[in-house]
Amino acid sequence: MSTELVVLGIVVLTALAFDFTNGFHDTANAMATSIATGALRPKRAVMLSAVLNFVGALLSVEVALTVTNAVIKIQDKSGAPKTELTAQHGHALLIILLAGLVGAIIWNLATWLVGLPSSSSHALFGGMIGATVAGLGFSGVKWIGDASTKKLDGVVGKVILPAIFSPLVAMAVAAVGTALVYLIVKGIPSSFRAGKYRTGQIFTSGLLSLAHGMNDAQKTMGILTLALIGSGHWTDLEAIPLWVKLTCAIAIAAGTYVGGWRIIRTLGKGLVKIGAPQGFAAEASSAAVILASSHMGFALSTTHVATGSVLGTGIGKAGAEVRWRIAARLVAAWVITLPSAGLVAFLMWHLADLIGGFGGALAIFVLLLIASGAMFLRSRRRIVDHTNVTDEWPDSQSASAPAAH
Amino acid sequence: MWENLKLAFTNGWHVLVAGLLLGAGVPAVFSLGVRALAMGGAAQEGGRIRPIGKALGVLCFAIVVLAIGLGITFIVASGFGKKLDFEHIYPVLIDK
């Protein structure tokens, strides 16, 4: 087996690993509020979400080949990689993709460890930007979109502006929805109404899971296929290989099933004390904002929307408790996600370049394994899983882990 | 840059309107359904749901189910290269 084939294999594995982290990092977006209110038992919630993510991923029939075009210039408009990157079986392209993915995974794991719902798409874009700056220089990145196209584009248009607008919009929608709900059902005993909202929540969180599978798995599929094209193993620019679609769908579903319990806990229990009517309003708001945006081609992160909705539902209910200190931590994490993933990817690319060739790719892959292993071991010191994810949130605590027991 | 900001504002505005209509509207209609079920003291201890309350409640829940069905249709349709068109007020599936 040629070494170039091994490098491609490493990129494929790393892309699937990213897809897996994308799954468990975002389980919370659809399910945190349903788990918190008891609408679904934790294990059932992740099972349902995993199945619907799988179905959603398979439904993305549309070609997502040009996913990197939003922020970097390594492909042309048709989706074909730039020819200067495809020499030597696409080694230059593969190293950029690999370094970018490694940066994204490490950031996803680090934020999971501390229980922060940061955006997986920001991590991915950040990683790709960092690796591209390292490999091609600053001019390889589309910082600001082309104004003549009348479309939101570039890092500013596709990443930064939506990250500011979408959580605010979701917050407003959820706040209005929550206020209306409590106004309408005022005076009805909670024992009578709670069960009905919990039933409603199963549908809204299911809808969110489906939308998530469709939106997010596409990105990994696009990057994986780009690697195959760059290394000369795939030529069709109109389609994605079936095995890529299947493995990506399985990876994101498996990640979802594992459940990022630390993040679920922060979003479901830490940010706002949520009742069933609030959970239903938050999920309806997230689903409406995500679907309306994708209808208009407005890129956004499901994480930002879900978090905005949860905050909004805290604002909309009179006397609800919102832990603003935790909210501030989340916002801080959002701001640094893109540059942090970018920085890791930048360093990884340079390390791979310094060592060179096959050894360079192998070195950063091994580094990824070591970093992931270390973070996993660290997480075992304070385990958060389906048994303790909904424990009461102690007031003094800003970290995600529940008290040891 | 300026162009980007203007576009983001327009898009954000459109998403806000659609979001309020569906994202706040659906929970509101659902709550009307709950209210209907609770009519005539049905929510109090020993109370029973009235037939009229049940009819109105089911109507509200049906509207919610319809809206969620619309969401699922949207996801599935865009997967197959179709999109929902709202030009005639009611949604129609057309090619992208």
Side-chain angles (χ1 to χ4, degrees):
Chain A
M1 193 160 49
S2 78
T3 55
E4 284 307 329
L5 208 56
V6 179
V7 175
L8 178 64
I10 290 177
V11 175
V12 170
L13 272 182
T14 313
L16 291 174
F18 170 77
D19 206 24
F20 182 82
T21 66
N22 195 159
F24 78 71
H25 219 279
D26 291 1
T27 315
N29 296 347
M31 287 300 170
T33 39
S34 284
I35 292 172
T37 63
L40 282 161
R41 292 227 304 276
K43 275 281 178 191
R44 276 195 199 151
V46 292
M47 188 67 203
L48 175 67
S49 191
V51 169
L52 291 173
N53 262 282
F54 181 77
V55 174
L58 289 186
L59 277 176
S60 38
V61 180
E62 217 173 52
V63 188
L65 247 180
T66 51
V67 57
T68 70
N69 276 356
V71 289
I72 51 179
K73 302 171 192 164
I74 58 173
Q75 298 173 266
D76 64 23
K77 278 203 184 100
S78 69
K82 296 260 161 92
T83 43
E84 61 267 32
L85 294 171
T86 54
Q88 296 173 310
H89 307 285
H91 189 78
L93 179 78
L94 290 182
I95 294 299
I96 288 180
L97 295 179
L98 180 61
L101 288 165
V102 169
I105 295 175
I106 289 182
W107 183 252
N108 261 357
L109 289 175
T111 44
W112 158 75
L113 188 61
V114 292
L116 285 176
S118 65
S119 160
S120 296
S121 7
H122 271 210
L124 182 63
F125 283 143
M128 289 301 154
I129 291 168
T132 303
V133 168
L136 304 175
F138 274 91
S139 60
V141 178
K142 254 187 227 170
W143 298 105
I144 300 170
D146 182 1
S148 63
T149 57
K150 296 275 176 206
K151 266 188 183 159
L152 277 171
D153 205 10
V155 180
V156 171
K158 285 261 194 203
V159 184
I160 296 177
L161 289 176
I164 299 170
F165 278 85
S166 61
L168 289 177
V169 168
M171 201 191 298
V173 171
V176 172
T178 305
L180 281 174
V181 164
Y182 280 100
L183 189 72
I184 294 170
V185 298
K186 201 172 162 193
I188 299 176
S190 153
S191 58
F192 181 82
R193 67 188 192 206
K196 296 170 179 65
Y197 285 102
R198 282 202 282 265
T199 309
Q201 276 192 283
I202 298 173
F203 291 96
T204 41
S205 55
L207 182 62
L208 275 173
S209 300
L210 194 66
H212 181 266
M214 169 132 186
N215 273 318
D216 280 33
Q218 279 194 17
K219 292 173 190 150
T220 314
M221 292 179 195
I223 285 177
L224 237 171
T225 309
L226 178 62
L228 294 174
I229 294 172
S231 56
H233 291 87
W234 185 259
T235 48
D236 190 351
L237 294 175
E238 300 290 322
I240 285 173
L242 182 65
W243 70 265
V244 168
K245 191 177 279 183
L246 269 176
T247 48
C248 285
I250 292 170
I252 203 165
T256 307
Y257 180 70
V258 165
W261 299 109
R262 307 169 104 80
I263 302 172
I264 293 174
R265 181 163 167 74
T266 305
L267 201 56
K269 300 295 283 188
L271 209 51
V272 177
K273 205 174 170 193
I274 294 176
Q278 286 169 292
F280 182 64
E283 289 163 13
S285 154
S286 296
V289 171
I290 289 168
L291 294 181
S293 306
S294 82
H295 185 68
M296 290 169 205
F298 186 47
L300 49 66
S301 159
T302 49
T303 306
H304 295 158
V305 173
T307 313
S309 291
V310 170
L311 270 179
T313 200
I315 296 169
K317 186 190 174 196
E321 185 186 348
V322 180
R323 296 191 186 86
W324 289 106
R325 269 184 55 192
I326 296 175
R329 270 176 50 131
L330 298 193
V331 173
W334 292 352
V335 174
I336 59 172
T337 290
L338 189 115
S340 307
L343 182 67
V344 177
F346 180 87
L347 295 175
M348 289 294 164
W349 188 91
H350 276 292
L351 183 67
D353 189 52
L354 197 70
I355 300 171
F358 167 65
L362 193 64
I364 60 175
F365 184 63
V366 170
L367 261 182
L368 170 68
L369 292 181
I370 293 172
S372 309
M375 284 191 270
F376 177 73
L377 286 179
R378 185 73 182 75
S379 79
R380 304 307 287 173
R381 283 209 213 157
R382 258 181 141 178
I383 297 174
V384 183
D385 61 13
H386 64 279
T387 59
N388 61 358
V389 66
T390 54
D391 286 1
E392 273 312 302
W393 189 280
D395 282 329
S396 57
Q397 178 191 325
S398 60
S400 70
H405 63 253
Chain B
M1 180 69 208
W2 190 234
E3 196 69 21
N4 259 325
L5 203 61
K6 263 195 341 211
L7 276 167
F9 261 112
T10 328
N11 280 336
W13 176 245
H14 288 165
V15 174
L16 180 65
V17 172
L20 281 174
L21 229 64
L22 288 166
V26 163
V29 172
F30 190 91
S31 303
L32 287 175
V34 175
R35 179 97 252 171
L37 290 183
M39 265 166 61
Q44 308 312 320
E45 212 163 315
R48 289 183 55 200
I49 295 175
R50 306 279 179 92
I52 175 77
K54 188 163 190 178
L56 287 173
V58 166
L59 180 71
C60 291
F61 297 140
I63 295 173
V64 171
V65 169
L66 219 64
I68 291 173
L70 199 65
I72 296 174
T73 313
F74 171 74
I75 298 172
V76 176
S78 65
F80 288 98
K82 306 254 183 208
K83 66 172 191 173
L84 282 172
D85 184 52
F86 292 95
E87 199 139 309
H88 311 283
I89 313 294
Y90 56 89
V92 191
L93 280 178
I94 57 166
D95 285 327
K96 263 192 192 167

